[in-house]
Amino acid sequence: MRKIEAEPLSVLRTRTSYKWQTYPADVLPLFVAEMDYPLAEPVQQAIIGRVLASDTGYVAGPEPVADAFAGYARRTWDWQVDPGDVRTTTDVSVAIVECLRQTVPVDGSVVITPPVYPPFFELPLEADASVVEVPLLLTGTGWQLDLPALERAFARGADALLLCNPHNPLGLVHSAETLGALADLSAKYGVAVISDEIHAPLAYDPRSFTPYLSVSDAAREYGICVSAASKAWNIAGTKCAVMVASSERTRLQLDSMPEEVSARTSILGLHASVAAYDDGGPWLTAVLNSLAENRELLAELLSAYLPEIVYRPPLAGYLAWLDFRGVGWGGDPAAVALEQGRVALESGLKFGRQGTGFVRLNFACSPEVLTEAVTRLAAVRAAPSDL
């Protein structure tokens, strides 16, 4: 089973990205969603090739990445995407804002489902809309969308839902049945669904993931998919995202966007994304093998050193949502982890009120770094303190 080895800390600390420039060298950064693995060679070569050709101008259009994304969707999820229905922009956050501008009236409202990716609280505001929170339900079998509460929000006049599919920070993969029921509600109340599927290629079982637009005619009528190769292939800085429509209504919405929305796509990101979708599969499989081992290693480490922490291994992605409430570190355990353990985690408070007492941990690192991080946290728990 091929795996990808994370680069050593001595190399990682020469990177100039946010992950490696935010904290001093004595801090282990396991917060922001960047991976510690070297880039896939096809992606590297695509970027280098464009630079060597001095091909760093404006994008001519979405066609290359539209074809590549459609091919990847067909091979991976049996989702039939018409490349003509694909548009591009700079990143998924911009895609969300621009889609909301087309689907939500000024002073309209957008539903989000916390605990959820922190920008979801802000992106509707950028589109001149308000935010309506409908928290996820935690049941005995795990997290899930609260469909009755979503229907109540739709009935009260919500204009759109931001769907996180798979759901960050939980690594939750919504079932086809749940998505189908959501699509029925969307059609019943005329509510747009913007489905952020950036983590979809990181599902540990690709067959478990259901693209929202594939579930039904109702989903296609009111839904728009936004995605990118950036999370799975670790190329966020190259700036290219896709938007997919599958109905006359949503095609018109995408085509009504200003030309500048597409023009902001990076030509380097476009070619990097083409290489990822077309030729990056073997690399991604090896990365998922490494992540799967780290996912289990984290469970073992927590059981051995911090058994009070509740951890449900994610079904997609490399982000662990950890319940520290049994440890007694207060509402923001990430602050304690950083100050006393020199481990940078993402504060659960950023993900909504439901994140009080939680942290998000990025385990896309070497097993040695992950082990060191947990042992540092355990040492804080064991040491006398004023907590």
Side-chain angles (χ1 to χ4, degrees):
M1 181 177 67
R2 180 172 175 246
K3 298 184 295 180
I4 297 291
E5 301 295 332
E7 296 191 289
L9 284 174
S10 59
V11 172
L12 292 167
R13 294 197 186 280
T14 67
R15 293 184 181 180
T16 62
S17 67
Y18 178 63
K19 179 175 183 178
W20 295 100
Q21 294 298 312
T22 300
Y23 295 105
D26 67 324
V27 172
L28 293 178
L30 305 183
F31 65 118
V32 71
E34 296 179 22
M35 294 192 285
D36 292 355
Y37 306 112
L39 289 184
E41 185 175 356
V43 173
Q44 289 181 328
Q45 294 305 315
I47 296 171
I48 292 170
R50 291 306 87 209
V51 172
L52 291 177
S54 300
D55 186 15
T56 55
Y58 298 109
V59 293
E63 288 79 11
V65 76
D67 289 337
F69 179 81
Y72 181 82
R74 182 183 64 255
R75 295 189 306 272
T76 308
W77 307 302
D78 196 27
W79 176 27
Q80 306 303 313
V81 175
D82 183 343
D85 288 341
V86 179
R87 305 290 182 270
T88 65
T89 190
T90 182
D91 59 38
V92 161
S93 290
V94 169
I96 289 172
V97 171
E98 297 299 337
C99 288
L100 291 178
R101 285 176 172 153
Q102 296 301 320
T103 58
V104 178
V106 174
D107 296 328
S109 61
V110 179
V111 176
I112 65 173
T113 55
V116 72
Y117 181 51
F120 274 31
F121 293 89
E122 303 169 357
L123 299 176
L125 307 181
E126 194 173 337
D128 296 317
S130 60
V131 171
V132 175
E133 296 185 26
V134 178
L136 294 175
L137 285 176
L138 179 58
T139 69
T141 57
W143 297 88
Q144 62 186 45
L145 292 172
D146 188 342
L147 291 171
L150 286 173
E151 181 166 18
R152 291 192 293 271
F154 291 178
R156 287 194 294 266
D159 298 288
L161 165 70
L162 277 186
L163 177 67
C164 204
N165 179 39
H167 192 100
N168 174 7
L170 308 174
L172 167 65
V173 177
H174 301 294
S175 70
E177 292 75 16
T178 295
L179 295 176
L182 173 63
D184 290 342
L185 294 176
S186 163
K188 178 179 179 180
Y189 294 98
V191 174
V193 175
I194 313 302
S195 184
D196 175 356
E197 301 184 359
I198 195 170
H199 289 268
L202 290 165
Y204 290 96
D205 178 1
R207 297 166 299 178
S208 70
F209 173 75
T210 302
Y212 180 70
L213 297 184
S214 74
V215 298
S216 66
D217 288 338
R220 289 183 283 275
E221 179 63 24
Y222 289 94
I224 297 174
C225 166
V226 297
S227 191
S230 57
K231 200 62 63 181
W233 283 273
N234 212 37
I235 52 173
T238 65
K239 295 298 181 184
C240 176
V242 298
M243 301 172 284
V244 185
S246 293
S247 70
E248 291 305 313
R249 177 194 305 272
T250 54
R251 291 184 190 104
L252 177 61
Q253 289 164 345
L254 294 191
D255 289 340
S256 298
M257 293 179 180
E259 290 184 9
E260 278 300 310
V261 174
S262 176
R264 294 180 185 127
T265 308
S266 162
I267 196 169
L268 297 181
L270 183 143
H271 288 286
S273 298
V274 170
Y277 289 131
D278 282 349
D279 302 311
W283 178 91
L284 181 59
T285 297
V287 162
L288 285 167
N289 289 337
S290 297
L291 293 176
E293 289 195 358
N294 275 3
R295 180 178 63 162
E296 300 309 314
L297 174 61
L298 178 59
E300 295 169 6
L301 291 168
L302 293 175
S303 177
Y305 293 103
L306 288 162
E308 304 94 335
I309 291 176
V310 178
Y311 165 52
R312 292 178 172 83
L315 299 178
Y318 49 83
L319 304 171
W321 186 240
L322 304 181
D323 183 351
F324 268 73
R325 289 176 296 179
V327 181
W329 288 9
D332 188 14
V336 178
L338 178 60
E339 180 181 353
Q340 299 190 33
R342 309 308 285 163
V343 178
L345 306 172
E346 203 72 79
S347 171
L349 299 176
K350 295 182 178 181
F351 298 83
R353 295 185 299 275
Q354 297 75 16
T356 301
F358 287 75
V359 303
R360 192 189 73 179
L361 179 150
N362 174 352
F363 57 81
C365 57
S366 70
E368 293 77 17
V369 166
L370 185 59
T371 301
E372 172 67 15
V374 174
T375 55
R376 287 189 188 190
L377 297 175
V380 173
R381 194 276 309 273
S385 72
D386 298 324
L387 293 174

